[in-house]
Amino acid sequence: MEENKAVLETRNLGITFGGLKALEGVHFRLHEKEIIGLIGPNGAGKTTVFNLLTDVYYPTNGEIELEGNNIVGKKTYQITQNGIARTFQNIRLFKDVTVLDNVKTAMTSRMKYSVLSGIFRLPSYRREEKEISDQAHALLEVLGLNDKAYELAKNLPYGQQRKLEIARALATSPKVLLLDEPAAGMNPTETKELMESIRLIRDKFGLSILLIEHDMSFVMGICEHIVVLDYGRVIAEGTPEEIRRDPKVIAAYLGGE
């Protein structure tokens, strides 16, 4: 990939709901191995951006490119196959399934054995099942969850459930990871561990990461670049230090002079 080439880019991205412009003219570039924060007040349009990137919504105008290819109009499963994975504000795990099986479930689209092979437990099935299990264990190990592999997901502490959701997103082998409020509801210790985990997976898997987060110390501590939304428009972008000092951001997001 060319130096400074965007892995993910939006240009003039916008969407209108019933005559109301929820987003307008949103442009940002996410580069290889970069961590970008998308911040702004409640209702600024942050989750709408994620929904446009993953085909939950179809944009009224604008373009979305993944590695130079337009992905507008592709189905959610196609976008996942192309390399975008997402977590959600509200944790969406299979609560009554083991931690290991939560991760393996996300890998099913990569399985190649036939239905017949699965029914009769033929060698091709057993071989691929072992490969998938090994890969799932390896992902859990990276996120410090492998010792919980055979516990039910619902029995994990909240912070570990968040990590499991990230592990499940990683199981689809993404190029871009979208994290929707990953630190929400976490205590300071869990937040610090999460920051370390996100840096680790960025470095280990070469990921580009776009995250939405309200915890400003988290955003300032982990993001190399920050994009600020207000009323569906980008009002500022830059390094954490530039954003911290920007008068428009202070007024819109941090609350007054």
Side-chain angles (χ1 to χ4, degrees), residues 127-141:
R127 186 167 55 250
E128 198 164 357
E129 271 291 311
K130 183 181 185 308
E131 286 174 10
I132 291 290
S133 285
D134 289 348
Q135 289 168 20
H137 277 296
L139 274 178
L140 291 172
E141 186 67 45

Side-chain angles (χ1 to χ4, degrees), residues 177-189:
L177 182 60
L178 309 179
L179 301 176
D180 196 346
E181 297 198 32
M186 287 191 176
N187 63 42
T189 302

Side-chain angles (χ1 to χ4, degrees), residues 75-129:
K75 302 297 184 191
T76 301
Y77 76 88
Q78 293 173 317
I79 289 169
T80 302
Q81 288 171 350
N82 286 350
I84 296 181
R86 174 185 185 176
T87 67
F88 293 84
Q89 285 174 308
N90 303 316
I91 296 174
R92 298 186 180 185
L93 298 173
F94 298 114
K95 302 279 188 168
D96 293 307
V97 171
T98 66
V99 168
L100 181 67
D101 284 340
N102 262 277
V103 178
K104 286 173 66 177
T105 300
M107 296 176 170
T108 51
S109 63
R110 291 153 51 188
M111 292 180 177
K112 297 181 178 65
Y113 60 76
S114 67
V115 173
L116 200 63
S117 179
I119 291 170
F120 291 105
R121 300 293 196 269
L122 299 180
S124 60
Y125 164 83
R126 292 200 301 273
R127 186 167 55 250
E128 198 164 357
E129 271 291 311

Side-chain angles (χ1 to χ4, degrees), residues 137-175:
H137 277 296
L139 274 178
L140 291 172
E141 186 67 45
V142 169
L143 285 156
L145 293 174
N146 204 29
D147 60 334
K148 310 279 189 181
Y150 299 102
E151 291 191 22
L152 297 182
K154 67 182 179 184
N155 293 336
L156 292 183
Y158 184 84
Q160 291 184 351
Q161 287 189 26
R162 282 270 175 206
K163 283 187 180 181
L164 176 55
E165 196 177 31
I166 292 172
R168 204 171 61 170
L170 291 173
T172 64
S173 300
K175 304 176 185 95

